[in-house]
Amino acid sequence: MKTFTIAVIAGDGIGQEVIPATIELLEAAGARHNISFDWRYFDWGGDYYFKHGAMVPANALELLAPHDAILLGAVGHTSIPDNVTLNGLLLPIRRGFDQYANVRPAVLFEGVDSPLRGYKAGEIDMVVVRENTEGEYAQIGGFLYQHQPDEVAVQSSVFTRRGCERVIRHAFELARARNGKKRVASITKSNAQGYSMVLWDRAFDAVSKEYPDIKTEQLLVDAAAMNFVRRPASFDVVVGSNLFGDILSDLSAIVTGSIGLAASANLDPARRFPSMFEPVHGTAPDIAGKGIANPMATMFSAAMMLEHLQAREAGQAIDAALRATLAARDVRTADLGGTSSTADVTQAVIRNLR
Ligand code: IPM
Ligand code: MN
């Protein structure tokens, strides 16, 4: 029996619904694959903020560090500015644990319709690899004349050669390991961002030489957005900066059916720190508390967590159970055109576990 110690941060909104559902599934998969979980719950989020005046305690990273992985729901509260909640909780973990590769697969599954006409299951199968520690999210800047009529804000993006190279290398390694088209597309805006993204382009050129077996293309982000819609089936691995990867991964999610299926892994590939697994979606305040959120994005993220923890069989069992549930088309939440509840979907996925 293998035991994993997992830090659980359900967070806010539908995070409180999709996380328990995913834990129920992980328990069921664990029982079938000789794995047990030691869940350590952290009640950080909006309510914690109202009680303590901060999203997390000062030693939050120290508290999280000893875990094998972190499972996170969603962060954000309608009465707290988003930049306060996210820079208080989610983003410091990505940066502090050097989770520099944010891996976001987008697959058109059997039983799911793309809003784009004519695509069959499996034809769209890509993964966005997003730089996750620097770039446009570096939080370097400040205000001048703050709250005055002529206030000024400066926010700098930070691109380091090391930061670009390591995430680009991760993308090439993934393209090699995947049973895919063996392609990496690099996304920048280096026609306009003439320093930072020119450095990115140079890093991409250098790293790509180490992978002669992988085909490459370099796209400007505006053209990439168009081509995600015009020719989504041509993409395999797509690598981009923190902000561009954020935007493009919502687009890749919707062209493959729903953001309710979009999983993500915030990886420290060097394994010095715990990696973090979370759905791409947010707290969804419009449906929170109703028990109708799609738990599948978190469940697919949990499968990625097991894969990262080298519990491959259990991870693949969860992935297969999710695919089987989708293919059956009967039990599904509203984002996929159904009327099922979070609990209905959870039970259906568990029934499909083998
Ligand atoms: C995501 C989210 C976050 C991000 C927000 C909540 C800060 O949109 O994980 O994609 O921009 O990284
Ligand atoms: Mn996002």
Side-chain angles (χ1 to χ4, degrees):
M1 174 80 76
K2 176 100 193 130
T3 302
F4 294 118
T5 305
I6 309 293
V8 181
I9 309 170
D12 305 302
I14 61 168
Q16 292 288 342
E17 300 164 49
V18 294
I19 287 291
T22 300
I23 287 178
E24 206 180 326
L25 173 63
L26 280 163
E27 284 288 344
R32 286 165 177 77
H33 293 270
N34 215 26
I35 293 169
S36 75
F37 297 96
D38 182 0
W39 307 109
R40 309 273 179 81
Y41 293 91
F42 295 86
D43 63 347
W44 302 339
D47 291 339
Y48 185 97
Y49 181 89
F50 290 124
K51 261 183 258 155
H52 300 92
M55 292 296 289
V56 298
N59 62 342
L61 291 182
E62 235 169 88
L63 295 173
L64 293 174
H67 298 81
D68 292 314
I70 304 164
L71 188 60
L72 184 134
V75 181
H77 194 285
T78 44
S79 334
I80 314 169
D82 281 335
N83 69 309
V84 172
T85 53
L86 278 317
N87 282 302
L89 174 40
L90 176 67
L91 301 174
I93 299 174
R94 291 180 181 168
R95 286 193 289 261
F97 286 158
D98 212 16
Q99 296 165 344
Y100 66 82
N102 189 331
V103 177
R104 302 185 152 190
V107 180
L108 182 59
F109 295 113
E110 186 76 55
V112 177
D113 300 319
S114 170
L116 305 179
R117 259 177 295 122
Y119 288 100
K120 288 201 275 305
E123 282 181 350
I124 308 175
D125 186 345
M126 62 165 123
V127 48
V128 175
V129 176
R130 163 185 182 188
E131 201 294 319
N132 212 30
T133 53
E134 51 178 56
E136 307 87 342
Y137 279 51
Q139 293 307 323
I140 304 287
F143 292 108
L144 185 61
Y145 318 123
Q146 195 178 2
H147 301 310
Q148 295 174 37
D150 293 331
E151 62 185 334
V152 174
V154 174
Q155 181 138 22
S156 302
S157 60
V158 175
F159 285 73
T160 65
R161 182 75 187 229
R162 178 191 79 122
C164 297
E165 280 190 6
R166 64 184 186 171
V167 74
I168 290 167
R169 190 166 283 113
H170 192 85
F172 277 97
E173 288 294 329
L174 189 58
R176 223 177 227 176
R178 268 163 66 85
N179 201 4
K181 303 178 186 81
K182 309 284 180 208
R183 299 177 65 116
V184 175
S186 167
I187 313 301
T188 65
K189 187 68 188 174
S190 49
N191 55 348
Q193 301 286 297
Y195 304 111
S196 56
M197 293 198 169
V198 168
L199 187 151
W200 174 289
D201 282 346
R202 277 206 285 271
F204 186 78
D205 288 339
V207 174
S208 66
K209 292 204 171 60
E210 298 167 27
Y211 298 87
D213 50 320
I214 306 295
K215 291 195 257 332
T216 62
E217 81 176 304
Q218 288 171 265
L219 288 171
L220 299 170
V221 67
D222 45 356
M226 176 179 72
N227 283 315
F228 267 37
V229 174
R230 189 169 67 111
R231 54 171 176 89
S234 69
F235 292 101
D236 180 16
V237 178
V238 179
V239 63
S241 67
N242 212 331
L243 181 61
F244 292 175
D246 175 47
I247 297 165
L248 289 176
S249 58
D250 267 39
L251 191 50
S252 63
I254 199 60
V255 300
T256 49
S258 171
I259 191 125
L261 300 175
S264 85
N266 301 272
L267 299 177
D268 165 25
R271 295 176 184 272
R272 289 155 304 166
F273 303 104
S275 290
M276 177 164 65
F277 300 82
E278 52 161 340
V280 171
H281 66 67
T283 55
D286 52 328
I287 58 162
K290 297 185 177 162
I292 57 169
N294 190 347
M296 287 183 153
T298 313
M299 292 170 170
F300 276 115
S301 307
M304 295 177 83
M305 178 177 83
L306 290 174
E307 178 93 7
H308 178 75
L309 295 173
Q310 282 154 348
R312 277 206 111 191
E313 269 188 23
Q316 283 169 357
I318 287 186
D319 193 82
L322 287 160
R323 287 173 188 250
T325 309
L326 288 168
R329 281 190 180 264
D330 49 354
V331 183
R332 54 183 54 208
T333 44
D335 56 307
L336 293 171
T339 56
S340 307
S341 66
T342 309
D344 294 336
V345 171
T346 305
Q347 293 320 310
V349 178
I350 291 173
R351 276 197 302 278
N352 282 319
L353 268 181
R354 49 194 86 245

